[in-house]
Amino acid sequence: EVQLVESGGGSVQPGGSLRLSCKASGFTFSEHTMYWVRQRTAGKGLEWVSHIGPGGTAYYEDSVKRRFTISRDNAKNMLYLQLNTLRTEDTAMYYCALGDVTVGYRPRGQGTQVTVSS
């Protein structure tokens, strides 16, 4: 059974930083592209933030480029997202996901909340 467990969210002021983590299990992590997506408003659609291929090639949504950094540790089955220079509009629930947009970013974890507020 695929399990994805996010952690590391919290409340920060604008300009602050957070590091999100996602522990993966139940599949061969090193062979899969992994995604970070976010949901700014409960019940609204998921927004793609970033993804990283098995070898480490990373892609970012334009608004997070040069602020967020995705990485992975295949030996530990861990996915990370470093969030720097946070803005109020980055406030959202952040999810790590195994599936891409064609399958609704499923399966995904339970999410970790990031709140950016002064």
Side-chain angles (χ1 to χ4, degrees):
E1 178 189 3
V2 171
Q3 286 197 322
L4 299 164
V5 181
E6 302 94 336
S7 61
S11 295
V12 297
Q13 293 186 338
S17 297
L18 286 170
R19 188 192 194 206
L20 308 185
S21 300
C22 173
K23 175 66 176 175
S25 62
F27 64 102
T28 307
F29 178 78
S30 62
E31 294 181 355
H32 290 270
T33 295
M34 295 297 298
Y35 298 81
W36 284 103
V37 296
R38 64 186 178 187
Q39 188 175 41
R40 300 196 207 195
T41 304
K44 296 295 186 181
L46 292 168
E47 301 174 5
W48 169 73
V49 174
S50 178
H51 70 267
I52 185 168
T57 301
Y59 301 86
Y60 300 93
E61 192 271 329
D62 284 348
S63 71
V64 309
K65 280 181 182 175
R66 294 175 295 279
R67 299 191 299 121
F68 293 6
T69 302
I70 191 171
S71 62
R72 64 192 298 161
D73 185 335
N74 287 340
K76 296 181 179 179
N77 286 3
M78 293 294 296
L79 178 72
Y80 304 100
L81 188 67
Q82 177 69 41
L83 287 64
N84 295 329
T85 320
L86 281 160
R87 304 169 179 169
T88 55
E89 55 265 37
D90 295 319
T91 295
M93 185 72 78
Y94 285 73
Y95 301 89
C96 69
L98 174 58
D100 64 14
V101 64
T102 62
V103 293
Y105 297 110
R106 292 187 181 94
R108 58 181 178 265
Q110 83 291 346
T112 187
Q113 177 68 38
V114 172
T115 302
V116 186
S117 173
S118 56

